[in-house]
Amino acid sequence: MHRFPLLLLCIALLCACQAQQKQQALAHVFQPLDGRWKGVFTVYTDTLGQREAPVQPRELSLELLQSLPLKVSQRIEVEQVYTSETPFFQRVHITDTYLLPDGSRQVVESSGYNEVKRGKLICVVNKPDEKVVHQGSSLPGNVIVWERNLRSPTKIEYFYEQVDQQHYTIIGWGYYGQDNPNLSPRTWFYGQYTRQ
């Protein structure tokens, strides 16, 4: 008669324990980023537009980017400062410097945080005109994959980020506006930063 509530309690405790284990396994996942980084983030456009392949590729490398017919559409000088406050929470301050067509420079400041929440990775960046939220996953070798998938309007992004003692590399792609997510990405990204 009383077995059913006891079974529910056992399941709830098991789930809580598993969530806690996932949380602990991700402790300090953001720590390799702590410090000041400077470099260039480059936005590319595929000169052939959207094609049959590669569609939303998950295996990203510099070799893949170099094999595509890309042209530079924008270069952004970037400075990022990461500070871990706990094993599960890290703040970031970002300074992006855009070179405008008339030769002038525009500086944009953003702030945000990386967080492990209930065993999941979250990245939030508060830009002056937009709040950007990515969901993440941790891979071996100090790699984090960040992605978002918004459909109205379309903003689908995938970033592969790897950090070592001196270098922080980002490779990614995005679909925006009228882009067709069932074809290859029109927009690609590459960032290379060094520790200061």
Side-chain angles (χ1 to χ4, degrees):
M1 185 134 185
H2 299 291
R3 288 181 187 166
F4 188 65
L6 183 59
L7 179 61
L8 288 178
L9 177 61
C10 289
I11 291 171
L13 289 173
L14 180 62
C15 290
C17 184
Q18 288 175 337
Q20 186 64 26
Q21 286 175 341
K22 283 179 79 177
Q23 184 83 0
Q24 288 303 319
L26 291 168
H28 304 289
V29 69
F30 304 121
Q31 192 171 17
L33 280 168
D34 279 346
R36 181 182 303 272
W37 301 87
K38 282 188 177 181
V40 176
F41 186 82
T42 306
V43 182
Y44 298 93
T45 302
D46 192 321
T47 58
L48 298 179
Q50 292 195 271
R51 294 170 284 132
E52 294 297 321
V55 177
Q56 299 191 28
R58 299 297 183 184
E59 300 294 325
L60 299 183
S61 65
L62 183 57
E63 290 76 19
L64 172 63
L65 253 60
Q66 291 170 339
S67 73
L68 298 170
L70 304 178
K71 70 173 182 181
V72 174
S73 60
Q74 190 167 51
R75 285 191 202 278
I76 306 162
E77 294 176 6
V78 178
E79 180 177 10
Q80 298 182 341
V81 180
Y82 291 91
T83 308
S84 288
E85 296 184 356
T86 75
F88 307 103
F89 187 88
Q90 180 185 65
R91 293 205 181 274
V92 62
H93 183 82
I94 304 167
T95 305
D96 293 328
T97 303
Y98 296 83
L99 183 61
L100 302 180
D102 63 4
S104 65
R105 297 162 82 82
Q106 178 185 10
V107 177
V108 177
E109 308 243 357
S110 306
S111 63
Y113 60 88
N114 295 324
E115 183 176 19
V116 181
K117 193 169 186 178
R118 291 191 282 278
K120 298 182 183 296
L121 305 186
I122 300 168
C123 174
V124 176
V125 177
N126 296 300
K127 298 184 175 184
D129 58 348
E130 181 184 16
K131 179 178 180 178
V132 179
V133 179
H134 286 97
Q135 307 296 320
S137 54
S138 176
L139 301 177
N142 291 333
V143 173
I144 295 180
V145 171
W146 294 111
E147 50 194 313
R148 68 172 170 164
N149 191 336
L150 304 177
R151 295 299 174 131
S152 186
T154 297
K155 290 181 182 178
I156 303 171
E157 294 171 329
Y158 183 90
F159 295 99
Y160 180 96
E161 301 187 0
Q162 186 166 26
V163 180
D164 63 28
Q165 282 296 322
Q166 295 300 321
H167 301 97
Y168 173 22
T169 304
I170 302 170
I171 300 174
W173 47 256
Y175 295 80
Y176 306 98
Q178 299 301 312
D179 289 349
N180 183 346
N182 299 311
L183 296 175
S184 65
R186 185 189 314 274
T187 305
W188 295 80
F189 308 104
Y190 182 73
Q192 179 70 64
Y193 311 140
T194 54
R195 190 184 292 279
Q196 302 303 296

